[in-house]
Amino acid sequence: MARSIPALALVVGGLLFGCGGMPEEGETQEPQAGSEGNVSQSAVQTNLVSGVTVTYTPATDTFTVHDTLADGHSAVADIINHNTGSNTQCWNPNGAGTSKSCERNYPNKPVISFRACTGEYGPRRLVACSGWLTINSFAPEKK
């Protein structure tokens, strides 16, 4: 037991003094799929699955869906607004190399989850999806 105390002290000290895995000053840390976090006005969150990249810009409540693969599927953002319980989607059926933006008008400070998916546009059926990315969006107050 006496030997484990110095090791514990090193771990606790490292966490308290900056060795806890956070980026150093001037560095950035990319969001991970399925992660949670607070989003500032200008931060853009990205979620992806093979063939699809979805970005969310909280300052404008805009989702941009990029189709990055000629696989015969549409690119989709699947979105849940936890404040209202609503589920919406933003479809990009325009083919590989294209992007489509969908603007939402969320009430102030929404808690949303979104994932990137491929899908069949005609029947609006999702084929494959990434994990959910949940964020607390603290965008500026809307008038």
Side-chain angles (χ1 to χ4, degrees):
M1 172 111 182
R3 289 188 174 159
S4 64
I5 291 175
L8 179 61
L10 286 173
V11 171
V12 171
L15 291 173
L16 289 174
F17 296 106
C19 298
M22 295 303 291
E24 296 295 324
E25 187 173 334
E27 294 179 353
T28 61
Q29 185 175 12
E30 293 298 317
Q32 300 297 313
S35 64
E36 294 187 22
N38 293 331
V39 179
S40 69
Q41 173 183 350
S42 61
V44 174
Q45 295 288 313
T46 302
N47 206 349
L48 54 96
V49 69
S50 180
V52 181
T53 302
V54 175
T55 57
Y56 170 64
T57 306
T60 58
D61 283 334
T62 302
F63 289 88
T64 303
V65 182
H66 309 277
D67 190 330
T68 61
L69 184 64
D71 59 1
H73 296 297
S74 295
V76 187
D78 192 19
I79 308 155
I80 295 174
N81 178 345
H82 295 283
N83 294 15
T84 63
S86 67
N87 180 278
T88 60
Q89 296 172 335
C90 177
W91 285 82
N92 176 6
N94 301 322
T98 66
S99 297
K100 181 177 178 188
S101 294
C102 297
E103 197 171 304
R104 302 290 189 251
N105 189 18
Y106 294 124
N108 296 327
K109 301 178 182 175
V111 176
I112 60 171
S113 294
F114 71 97
R115 60 185 179 169
C117 302
T118 58
E120 296 298 326
Y121 183 68
R124 301 291 200 278
R125 182 178 58 85
L126 300 178
V127 174
C129 294
S130 68
W132 290 98
L133 177 63
T134 300
I135 56 176
N136 297 311
S137 182
F138 293 101
E141 296 288 319
K142 295 183 178 110
K143 299 184 184 198

